[in-house]
Structures are given as C-alpha cells and as structure tokens.
Amino acid sequence: MKLEAVLGKKPKRKGQSDHVKAAIFLAPTWLLLLIFFIGPMLLTLLFSFTNLALTGAEASQLRFVGFENFTRMFQDPDFRVSVWNTIVFVFFSAVLGQCFFGFLIAFLMKEKNKTFRRIVGLIIIAAWVTPEVVVAFCWVAFLGESGTANWLLSLFDIKPIAWLFTFPMVSVVIANMWRGTAFSMMVFQAALDDIPKDVEEAAIMDGASRFQVIRYITIPMVKGTIATNMMLVTLQTLGVFALIYTMTGGGPGVSTATLPVFMYKQAFVSYQLGYGTAISFVLLVLGAIASFIYMKTLKVKV
C-alpha cells in the first residue's frame, strides 16, 4: 500500500506537477514580455485615444479624446500617401527584392564548393551587419550628384541624374534590398542544404527539367521556410526608419514618407504624441494582417 493512501493524502497527478514546474520556469519570460512588450503595446493603445503632446497647453492637460486621432488620421491625405508608400516599399524591397534574390543567391551557391560559398557569403553578409545609418550614408554618397552612379553614367556621356530627387522611392528600395538580402540568403541556404540530394537526382533521372525540379520539389519542400522568411522580412521592413530618414527624410515632400517616418514627424517634429501613437497602432495592425495573410495563403503553421 502506498504511503499517500495510508496518510489519507491524494497523490498529485504527474501532469499537474509538470505544468506547475513549467509555469515556474517560464515566469521570468512572461514577466519580461509583460514589461517590455505587452505593457508598451497597451500604453500605445491607451495614448492613441488621448491628446498627449510634448509642448503647448495640451502637454500639461492630458485628456481622453476618443477616436479623434484616428478620424484625423484617415482624413489626412499625407497619411494615405504614407500607407501607399509603405506598401510599395515593403512589397518591392522585401517580398520581391530580399526574398527573391535571397533565394536566387542561395540556390546558385548550393552546388558550389565551400571556399566560393564563404567568399560570396561574407561579401553579402557585410552589407547586412553594417549599421542602417552607415548603409544610408553609403548610398547617399553613391547616388549623389557627384557620386559613383553619375560618374559611371558620365563614361557613356549621360547627364548626371539627381537620383534621390528624381527616383527617391526606387533609391530607398534598392538600398534596403541591398542591405537585407543577406538574411534571406542565409535562411534559404540552410533550408536548401537540408533537401536530400537523391530526391532531386531521382526526379532528373525520370526526365524532369531543372525548372520542374525547382517548381515541384524544391519550393514545396522549403514552403515553410519561405513563409517564415517572408513574414520576418516583411515585419522588419515595415519598421525601417533610419535608412529612409537618412537618405531622403521622407521627401521630396512625402514621396518616401512610410508610416514609421510619418509617425516620427507627427510625434517628435510636430510634438503630437497622441496622434503619433495612433499611427504606430495602425502600423502594428498592418504587421498582424501581413502575418495572417502569409499563414493563410501558404497554409503553413509556424
């Protein structure tokens, strides 16, 4: 007879004990999430319904204004332009740019020797590890009126182009693409290396072309990686601020003012923190919608 039965105590279930231990070990993590993630997110939502400001009479008289900030925001033509700029910037620099070129580079280096892969990888990763502000200044120097791009054009007797004024969105898209492609390359490189070689070789022996192998074998086997990478680079690109602000300041006008840049100007240039937090909340919602679309479209559980 067990000791618990003699003493009249009910034995604890093993499952309950495991749950308690897991909760104890995870408590510090949940506390950090509460302090540094959930707390600020709730404060952002709270302040978006107030007239919070840094200067003026409203700075000393915080009050609840309801949906006034959101009404003002959706009526502001500059806000609508910034939303469109954000969509264009994310789609071309992250979805089409970083994901496509990252996969292409990883695929082209798949069968190469280790030395070649290391050299190419180091060159590409160098851009990724460089601080965003430094990358921005490098591209400003490259695309400036007396920069390298115009010097190359002068070799073919082509007049200099004011790239940052004539093609501002193209300039920031290329700069962000150049910097972020390395991350996608590393992610896809790891996924492609895990594909068994005998599967692809068997398909080729059965008469499949190289394109058919990529379409029907390679891509389906790394579909989960594609979904995860697209979600990560999209969320990262949604928050890009220093690169755009350093290169163009959101201009000319508002032609490159994405939501982070527009939010910064409203919150810390115009000192309207309540309005700025309302914009940041919209940015958070856009990130959640993008993640949901990726998961539903690609039907992958992450």
Side-chain angles (χ1 to χ4, degrees), residues 134-144 164 171 174-176 178-179 243 247:
V134 177
V135 171
F137 278 118
C138 289
W139 277 94
V140 168
F142 180 79
L143 298 174
L164 296 176
S171 300
I174 293 175
N176 188 64
W178 178 80
R179 181 177 183 269
L243 182 76
M247 288 184 66

Side-chain angles (χ1 to χ4, degrees), residues 24-182:
I24 293 173
F25 281 113
L26 290 175
T29 303
W30 282 108
L31 181 62
L32 290 174
L33 283 174
L34 179 64
I35 295 173
F36 296 107
F37 180 72
I38 299 176
M41 188 170 61
L42 292 176
L43 282 175
T44 298
L45 179 60
L46 175 64
F47 289 145
S48 65
F49 294 101
T50 67
N51 66 333
L52 184 65
L54 290 176
T55 61
E58 294 180 346
S60 59
Q61 297 178 355
L62 182 65
R63 59 185 176 85
F64 182 78
V65 295
F67 290 95
E68 184 179 314
N69 288 324
F70 292 94
T71 303
R72 172 189 170 189
M73 180 170 54
F74 290 111
Q75 291 177 348
D76 189 349
D78 289 344
F79 170 76
R80 292 193 290 269
V81 172
S82 68
V83 172
W84 175 249
N85 288 341
T86 303
I87 295 172
V88 171
F89 180 69
V90 171
F91 181 75
F92 285 101
S93 71
V95 179
L96 286 185
Q98 296 179 31
C99 290
F100 174 77
F101 286 107
F103 182 86
L104 180 63
I105 296 171
F107 181 79
L108 293 176
M109 291 200 302
K110 183 180 178 182
E111 304 297 334
K112 301 299 185 294
N113 60 62
K114 291 183 179 180
T115 303
F116 179 81
R117 292 179 62 173
R118 287 175 182 173
I119 294 173
V120 175
L122 286 174
I123 295 172
I124 297 173
I125 293 173
W128 183 52
V129 299
T130 305
E132 201 171 282
V133 176
V134 177
V135 171
F137 278 118
C138 289
W139 277 94
V140 168
F142 180 79
L143 298 174
E145 292 186 7
S146 58
T148 307
N150 283 327
W151 176 77
L152 292 173
L153 292 178
S154 66
L155 298 178
F156 300 94
D157 294 327
I158 300 175
K159 294 181 180 180
I161 300 174
W163 296 98
L164 296 176
F165 292 93
T166 308
F167 305 105
M169 182 56 74
V170 174
S171 300
V172 295
V173 163
I174 293 175
N176 188 64
M177 189 191 310
W178 178 80
R179 181 177 183 269
T181 298

Side-chain angles (χ1 to χ4, degrees), residues 236-250:
Q236 187 273 332
T237 306
L238 275 173
V240 169
F241 167 76
L243 182 76
I244 299 175
Y245 196 78
T246 303
M247 288 184 66
T248 64

Side-chain angles (χ1 to χ4, degrees), residues 215-250:
R215 181 179 177 182
Y216 295 108
I217 296 178
T218 304
I219 293 180
M221 292 187 74
V222 297
K223 185 171 67 172
T225 303
I226 293 173
T228 304
N229 181 73
M230 287 179 68
M231 182 175 65
L232 291 175
V233 298
T234 296
L235 296 178
Q236 187 273 332
T237 306
L238 275 173
V240 169
F241 167 76
L243 182 76
I244 299 175
Y245 196 78
T246 303
M247 288 184 66
T248 64

